[in-house]
Amino acid sequence: MLGLPKGQVYLVPWTEQWEIEFNEEVSKIRCEINGGIVAIHHIGSTAVKGLSAKPIIDIAIELKSFDAGIHCVPGLERLGYVYRGTDVLPDRHYFNKGEPRTHQIHMFQTGSEYLDKQLTLRDYLRENEDARNEYQELKQKLTMEHSTNKLAYADSKTVFINKIIWEANQGK
């Protein structure tokens, strides 16, 4: 059920198993790195009931201090994660697990604009059926266009995602 092979982009229908997988992984993470964690969030499409997704569990770990993230590396490595550094996105420690990839951790300091955007998008899609359906259709179209190019697939969603975040923030 979980795992996206390198070089492939495809979607699978949402399943309650993703919530179970997320909760099991949170328990393991807390056993290894509980200190400094403010919260652990299920993010990405697997966190939105009814939305098809790439079969990878995205986890956001919110830390009191960004610098504390480097101290989490040994514990997460014991769980099978590979530390990929902070180069991909500013103010984020990034880890992935599995081949095919099954889990990703995005580690942010509380107040990070990137974390806030992830949570805003997730919550809006959970609450707004029309936006969720529109996103579903876009993702299905883009997987056909970019079935072997993860970056092009992700980049092609940016305009829609930014529109959703803007709409969500108008309601605040």
Side-chain angles (χ1 to χ4, degrees):
M1 191 110 252
L2 275 183
L4 185 68
K6 195 173 242 173
Q8 294 185 27
V9 178
Y10 59 84
L11 304 175
V12 297
W14 187 87
T15 172
E16 289 181 15
Q17 187 63 36
W18 290 341
E19 281 298 317
I20 294 166
E21 294 280 349
F22 168 75
N23 289 323
E24 288 175 355
E25 202 68 13
V26 167
S27 295
K28 294 174 191 174
I29 290 167
R30 287 199 180 277
C31 286
E32 289 293 339
I33 62 163
N34 204 23
I37 294 176
V38 174
I40 301 177
H41 308 277
H42 190 179
I43 60 171
S45 295
T46 61
V48 180
K49 185 175 184 177
L51 188 60
S52 293
K54 295 179 299 187
I56 301 171
I57 304 296
D58 281 292
I59 300 167
I61 298 179
E62 186 176 346
L63 301 172
K64 294 176 189 171
S65 161
F66 182 75
D67 293 336
I70 200 69
H71 303 293
C72 299
V73 173
L76 291 173
E77 285 177 340
R78 285 190 291 274
L79 295 175
Y81 285 92
V82 176
Y83 182 54
R84 301 296 183 184
T86 60
D87 297 339
V88 178
L89 186 69
D91 303 321
R92 175 187 76 160
H93 294 279
Y94 176 68
F95 301 79
N96 60 30
K97 180 179 182 178
E99 187 51 53
R101 183 170 305 163
T102 59
H103 297 78
Q104 301 180 128
I105 291 177
H106 314 267
M107 196 174 281
F108 304 97
Q109 180 173 323
T110 297
S112 163
E113 70 175 286
Y114 302 104
L115 174 60
D116 291 344
K117 286 178 179 180
Q118 289 284 340
L119 298 176
T120 297
L121 175 65
R122 179 201 66 193
D123 293 347
Y124 191 82
L125 291 172
R126 282 177 171 176
E127 298 166 9
N128 188 306
E129 184 178 359
D130 290 339
R132 187 173 54 251
N133 290 338
E134 189 178 347
Y135 191 42
Q136 172 76 23
E137 289 175 20
L138 174 64
K139 288 171 49 148
Q140 288 173 325
K141 174 182 172 277
L142 294 176
T143 56
M144 288 187 276
E145 292 174 11
H146 306 291
S147 64
T148 59
N149 189 334
K150 179 179 73 167
L151 295 177
Y153 170 79
D155 287 346
S156 298
K157 297 187 304 180
T158 301
V159 170
F160 181 85
I161 289 169
N162 287 339
K163 180 186 103 169
I164 292 295
I165 292 169
W166 183 84
E167 287 176 9
N169 287 328
Q170 296 309 300
K172 289 183 179 178

